[in-house]
Amino acid sequence: MNATRFGHVALIGPPNAGKSTLLNALLGQKLAIVSPKPQTTRNRLAGILNVEDAQIVLLDTPGVHIPRGSRLNSRLVEAAWHALAEAQAIVIVLDAIFYSKKPDMLENDIKLLSRPVERSGLPVIIALNKTDAMPDMPSLLPVMARLGEAWPGAAIVPVSALKKKGLDELTKVMVSHLPEGAAYYPEDQLSTAPMRFLASEIIREKLFLQLSQELPYNTAVAIEHWQETAKGARISAVIYVSRDRHKGMVIGKGGAVLKEVGTKARHDIMELTGAPVHLELFVKVREDWTEDEFFLNELGEEHGS
Ligand SMILES: Nc1nc2c(ncn2[C@@H]2O[C@H](COP(=O)(O)OP(=O)(O)OP(=O)(O)O)[C@@H](O)[C@H]2O)c(=O)[nH]1
Ligand SMILES: [Mg+2]
């Protein structure tokens, strides 16, 4: 590997814009969890991308919004802005199809992003995502024109994280903003996140996909034990819910929901570790954990950040 440039690039944007999908697409491998629900990502997650002439540490972040309600919500937005302090460039990820339907929201999001982005002093790249779902490219033009006004000089790259379009162009622009320097991480390292964190995220993804309405937002996952044996990993994890009545919903009739979550999570964890996995899931009530500073700190520590 002959990287001559090295640096961190933060993927920032509103919830559901496709930041995590874009991270995975750029890495060519699934690292971050993805769901159709907004506010899936809760921590900053670093993915290491090696290209011919550079090593880029891509920072996936929670979606930025005006936090209402829980402390958890404020923490999500804080974690996203904090990533800017680590980065040498910003990729603002935006959902093109959303703005073509709701032009007012473009103004809202520009307003929300512009001050923190400007304060960071970092070069800006705009990834206009989900172009595969646009009926035609000309309808992108007014959105692009407005973004060009809001961030003069920023490269605007139409992409589709889902269909892996525009990624080479985006990578090229990111590399052009990185300082000179040698690769910091070994070429085979995909992330700085511990395996325990990635496994807990996989379980959380299955909960996001399996549970409806507000329920996923009231669940958290912590790995309790992880024992490596000759037959693979024995993992036990706790799913925390914030209300007693949620417990039964996560378990499901005859344990059906929990079983489905466990089976799917086990499959993905096996893929990640490349070894057999025995996974046990428990559901515990921790009243109002989304407001509990101590618990939120503990969840952050699991990630090591
Ligand atoms: N059609 C289309 N859908 C996409 C694309 N990228 C992401 N999506 C979908 O958009 C939804 C949200 O994707 P995520 O990657 O979880 O979005 P995010 O920005 O990380 O969301 P948060 O973590 O909640 O802030 C999922 O249903 C994705 O499949 C794309 O390029 N095209
Ligand atoms: Mg995400």
Side-chain angles (χ1 to χ4, degrees):
M1 191 164 52
N2 289 315
T4 54
R5 288 173 189 260
F6 172 78
H8 293 68
V9 175
L11 306 177
I12 294 277
N16 213 42
K19 301 174 294 300
S20 301
T21 310
L22 183 60
L23 174 82
N24 294 339
L26 287 164
L27 294 176
Q29 196 167 337
K30 180 159 173 175
L31 176 70
I33 65 168
V34 167
S35 94
K37 296 187 174 72
Q39 292 166 47
T40 302
T41 302
R42 289 187 186 155
N43 300 78
R44 141 47 202 79
L45 172 64
I48 302 161
L49 172 62
N50 293 296
V51 287
E52 201 185 320
D53 48 354
Q55 185 173 68
I56 316 175
V57 184
L58 297 161
L59 305 175
D60 185 21
T61 62
V64 290
H65 57 283
I66 297 168
R68 289 186 192 90
S70 67
R71 284 209 177 114
L72 170 66
N73 256 333
S74 315
R75 291 278 187 118
L76 299 185
V77 179
E78 271 167 36
W81 296 138
H82 276 159
L84 298 187
E86 290 178 77
Q88 281 79 50
I90 301 176
V91 173
I92 298 179
V93 184
L94 300 171
D95 178 337
I97 189 87
F98 184 63
Y99 297 136
S100 66
K101 286 185 195 148
K102 298 192 171 178
D104 289 359
M105 288 308 290
L106 178 60
E107 293 310 316
N108 271 20
D109 288 342
I110 288 174
K111 205 167 146 201
L112 184 69
L113 287 156
S114 51
R115 194 170 304 162
V117 166
E118 193 186 327
R119 218 180 276 152
S120 74
L122 298 173
V124 176
I125 305 153
I126 298 168
L128 204 45
N129 191 29
K130 309 200 187 181
T131 51
D132 59 283
M134 292 292 287
D136 55 74
M137 288 311 259
S139 39
L140 263 189
L141 296 177
V143 177
M144 290 174 78
R146 180 64 192 105
L147 291 169
E149 257 171 42
W151 286 285
I156 304 175
V157 189
V159 299
S160 164
L162 198 67
K163 303 276 186 218
K164 299 194 166 63
K165 293 273 161 59
L167 304 184
D168 288 347
E169 171 66 17
L170 181 62
T171 306
K172 223 182 275 169
V173 185
M174 287 194 285
V175 171
S176 74
H177 287 297
L178 294 184
E180 285 184 10
Y184 183 80
Y185 296 101
E187 199 170 355
D188 59 358
Q189 188 172 341
L190 181 64
S191 178
T192 57
M195 203 55 102
R196 285 172 82 101
F197 172 74
L198 297 175
S200 72
E201 285 288 274
I202 288 171
I203 299 166
R204 217 163 56 71
E205 180 185 65
K206 305 312 169 202
L207 291 167
F208 260 71
L209 296 174
Q210 209 71 32
L211 303 174
S212 58
Q213 291 163 10
E214 291 303 302
L215 204 47
Y217 300 107
N218 290 297
T219 60
V221 176
I223 304 291
E224 293 278 282
H225 298 286
W226 186 305
Q227 193 193 356
E228 292 293 343
T229 71
K231 288 193 207 140
R234 293 187 72 85
I235 306 168
S236 59
V238 176
I239 299 167
Y240 288 98
V241 293
S242 60
R243 296 261 182 280
D244 200 40
R245 67 188 155 85
H246 292 160
K247 194 172 170 180
M249 292 156 94
V250 170
I251 294 169
K253 259 199 195 122
V257 174
L258 196 61
K259 191 167 169 219
E260 188 72 13
V261 167
T263 306
K264 290 190 165 148
R266 181 176 158 271
H267 173 271
D268 283 15
I269 298 170
M270 257 169 34
E271 214 152 75
L272 183 74
T273 58
V277 163
H278 180 271
L279 177 65
E280 258 187 317
L281 296 176
F282 301 91
V283 185
K284 284 188 188 166
V285 182
R286 183 156 178 142
E287 285 285 333
D288 293 323
W289 69 262
T290 59
E291 299 297 338
D292 184 341
E293 293 280 1
F294 179 76
F295 185 70
L296 293 172
N297 286 343
E298 274 187 348
L299 288 176
E301 277 162 22
E302 171 101 352
H303 185 215
S305 67

